[in-house]
Amino acid sequence: MTQTLKSSISHSPIARTVLSNGIVLLVAENPAADIIAARIFIRAGSCNENPQQSGLAHLLSTVLTKGCDGLSSLQIAEHVESMGAGLSADSAADYFLLSLKTVTADFADILQLAGRIMRSPTFPEVEVELERRLALQDIRSQKEQPFTIAFDQLRQVMYQNHPYAMSLLGDETTMGSLTRADLVKYHQTYFRPDNLVISIAGRVTLEDAVNLVENIFGDWQAPPEPLPKVHFPHIKVEPQQRLKAQQTQQSVIMLGYLGPSVRAADYAPLKLLSTYLGNGLSSRLFVELREKRGLAYEVSAFYPTRLHPASFVVYMGTAPENTSIALTGLRTEVDLLSSNQLEESALQAAKNKILGQYALGKQTNAQIAQVYGWYEILGLGIDFDQEFQELIAGVSVKDAIAAANQYLREPYLSLVGQQKAINSAIN
């Protein structure tokens, strides 16, 4: 028994079908190019790891395609390459993802392979050990990167014991202790049809897509036990400083503010303020702190879309001798958002920018499959594509100032640089 709903978006109709075993199938028929892309999402990411196993979802993503029932890592790679197709796995905080892309004629073949990989990976010990060692190398190399150090310590102080505090890679202790058995248990727990979203875009009809997915995944039944409930701790906002002295050629300054999740009313105003402050060469931070004052090697802002409270971050890299004045300048620019100095024309320019970039981010079948599958995973639904654009367009100057007053008042500070530069900035 399947249930099919159609999005109200006329120019890009998306069909949402729920299969009898719980799989949610999204189909965007786009006959313009002879390409089909698919995204297979699992409602589990690094947020579903035990703290002692941080990095587990990342490690699983690196070994998932390295062997499945009846096929070795080499055989999988050769099979994919023989079609000129794309097949890769990835993990994020809020989801796990398998990505596929191929010409229309080979799509059934690549989806069949993806089904085998999703349902019966073998996690060969030799591959697990190799990928674990590579991840440990990445963790160690990141300890030499000032930006990564600054962001890690900012994230940890902001999120405390919430899973968002940890890097996707975990740390040397957690990654170093992961085993094949941990991967098997995580896979058995979360890789099940009622926890799966398959998003397909390309030269395929809804009927053909449903038949194909049912043929490959229809006999996959969900286990009787319910999915484990993850209890996320309350995040207490306690702005403070984290300083790291390091012999670097520049100081990295980050200000962090705890913002709401994507489902909150203030999500759109803060998304717009992030764009206004730090998105591109015309952004407020770039113009004021780099172009006019020459303080920044790089300067930007970001506010990611998250299931749980998200961090609103502004950062810059500056010369050691400019650390103090740069920190003051960065803080001042954020503080100005809480005043009445935000002009309607500046807000409109930010709206045009974010909506233009959003439209450009849905040009390919891969991008279309990604965005609708992601919205489904976040629990927003296929119509959020249109709702997002309406929310952004509807933000007023008053809305933006109110959101800044609520969330962007007292920052967490993360600073990495030479000891002398740190002393000058905080004293």
Side-chain angles (χ1 to χ4, degrees):
M1 184 71 180
T2 63
Q3 176 188 12
T4 302
L5 301 172
K6 282 243 180 146
S7 167
S8 59
I9 307 161
S10 59
H11 65 278
S12 181
I14 307 296
R16 181 184 186 274
T17 301
V18 181
L19 304 187
S20 57
N21 58 1
I23 289 176
V24 176
L25 173 62
L26 308 176
V27 181
E29 187 175 351
N30 181 16
D34 188 27
I35 296 289
I36 299 180
R39 297 290 187 267
I40 304 178
F41 287 87
I42 301 289
R43 292 187 186 90
S46 61
C47 271
N48 300 80
E49 302 165 342
N50 296 323
Q52 299 79 17
Q53 295 181 326
S54 290
L56 180 57
H58 169 80
L59 184 61
L60 193 150
S61 74
T62 64
V63 297
L64 184 71
T65 60
K66 299 298 174 61
C68 63
D69 186 26
L71 292 175
S72 68
S73 175
L74 180 60
Q75 287 172 319
I76 291 173
E78 288 177 340
H79 192 63
V80 173
E81 289 175 9
S82 70
M83 292 183 283
L87 173 67
S88 62
D90 199 8
S91 65
D94 297 326
Y95 60 84
F96 189 95
L97 178 65
L98 193 67
S99 302
L100 324 171
K101 185 171 71 172
T102 185
V103 295
T104 305
D106 292 331
F107 182 67
D109 198 2
I110 199 73
L111 189 63
Q112 182 81 44
L113 176 62
R116 292 174 69 179
I117 290 170
M118 294 289 287
R119 297 175 65 173
S120 55
T122 51
F123 302 129
E125 287 278 11
V126 64
E127 299 286 355
V128 172
E129 180 58 26
L130 172 62
E131 295 298 337
R132 195 167 62 87
R133 287 206 309 267
L134 290 173
L136 286 169
Q137 288 178 16
D138 286 344
I139 291 168
R140 291 172 189 134
S141 70
Q142 288 182 359
K143 291 182 178 180
E144 308 299 320
Q145 301 167 16
F147 178 90
T148 304
I149 296 168
F151 186 51
D152 280 351
Q153 63 184 17
L154 178 68
R155 188 174 54 222
Q156 287 164 15
V157 73
M158 287 182 71
Y159 283 106
Q160 302 133 32
N161 57 346
H162 189 281
Y164 282 178
M166 289 298 289
S167 162
L168 289 177
L169 293 171
D171 57 31
E172 286 190 78
T173 300
T174 60
M175 180 59 71
S177 66
L178 294 176
T179 66
R180 180 183 180 277
D182 296 328
L183 296 174
V184 170
K185 183 176 180 182
Y186 187 94
H187 177 267
Q188 289 177 343
T189 301
Y190 293 106
F191 282 58
R192 43 191 280 175
D194 56 344
N195 202 34
L196 205 70
V197 174
I198 301 178
S199 181
I200 301 173
R203 191 175 289 179
V204 62
T205 66
L206 171 61
E207 183 181 6
D208 287 345
V210 169
N211 289 337
L212 183 58
V213 170
E214 285 190 327
N215 286 339
I216 295 171
F217 296 94
D219 63 337
W220 192 10
Q221 296 303 309
E225 59 269 22
L227 282 156
K229 288 189 176 180
V230 182
H231 299 283
F232 296 100
H234 173 71
I235 304 168
K236 191 174 182 181
V237 180
E238 297 177 316
Q240 51 194 283
Q241 299 177 348
R242 283 295 181 269
L243 313 171
K244 176 75 172 178
Q246 193 176 47
Q247 280 303 114
T248 60
Q249 298 302 308
Q250 64 173 307
S251 297
V252 176
I253 306 167
M254 287 190 178
L255 301 179
Y257 307 81
L258 193 68
S261 75
V262 65
R263 293 172 177 159
D266 286 318
Y267 165 76
L270 287 173
K271 200 73 175 174
L272 200 49
L273 287 176
S274 172
T275 298
Y276 164 75
L277 271 183
N279 184 332
L281 306 185
S282 62
S283 66
R284 174 79 185 189
L285 295 178
F286 192 92
V287 171
E288 295 296 323
L289 300 180
R290 180 180 166 111
E291 291 296 292
K292 291 184 179 179
R293 301 180 64 186
L295 291 174
Y297 296 137
E298 61 174 335
V299 62
S300 191
F302 57 88
Y303 171 54
T305 300
R306 293 281 185 265
L307 265 175
H308 305 286
S311 51
F312 187 108
V313 178
V314 295
Y315 71 91
M316 69 187 297
T318 191
E321 63 270 18
N322 289 333
T323 303
S324 180
I325 191 172
L327 172 57
T328 301
L330 197 62
R331 177 74 190 268
T332 298
E333 291 301 331
V334 180
D335 287 347
L336 283 172
L337 297 176
S338 300
S339 72
N340 291 318
Q341 295 189 29
L342 185 60
E343 297 178 357
E344 182 68 49
S345 60
L347 192 68
Q348 186 60 51
K351 289 180 182 181
N352 295 342
K353 183 187 295 184
I354 196 172
L355 292 174
Q357 291 174 344
Y358 184 74
L360 290 174
K362 298 184 300 173
Q363 295 298 296
T364 69
N365 287 330
Q367 291 170 329
I368 293 168
Q370 174 75 27
V371 73
Y372 285 104
W374 183 44
Y375 286 160
E376 180 70 29
I377 283 292
L378 292 174
L380 300 168
I382 53 180
D383 283 332
F384 188 73
D385 173 65
Q386 188 66 32
E387 289 170 18
F388 172 77
Q389 298 171 70
E390 292 169 355
L391 287 170
I392 292 295
V395 174
S396 67
V397 169
K398 184 179 178 181
D399 296 333
I401 293 172
N405 269 295
Q406 181 170 351
Y407 295 100
L408 308 180
R409 298 297 289 180
E410 288 297 322
Y412 291 83
L413 167 65
S414 178
L415 177 54
V416 176
Q418 298 174 17
Q419 186 65 62
K420 183 179 178 182
I422 291 176
N423 293 341
S424 71
I426 63 171
N427 293 330

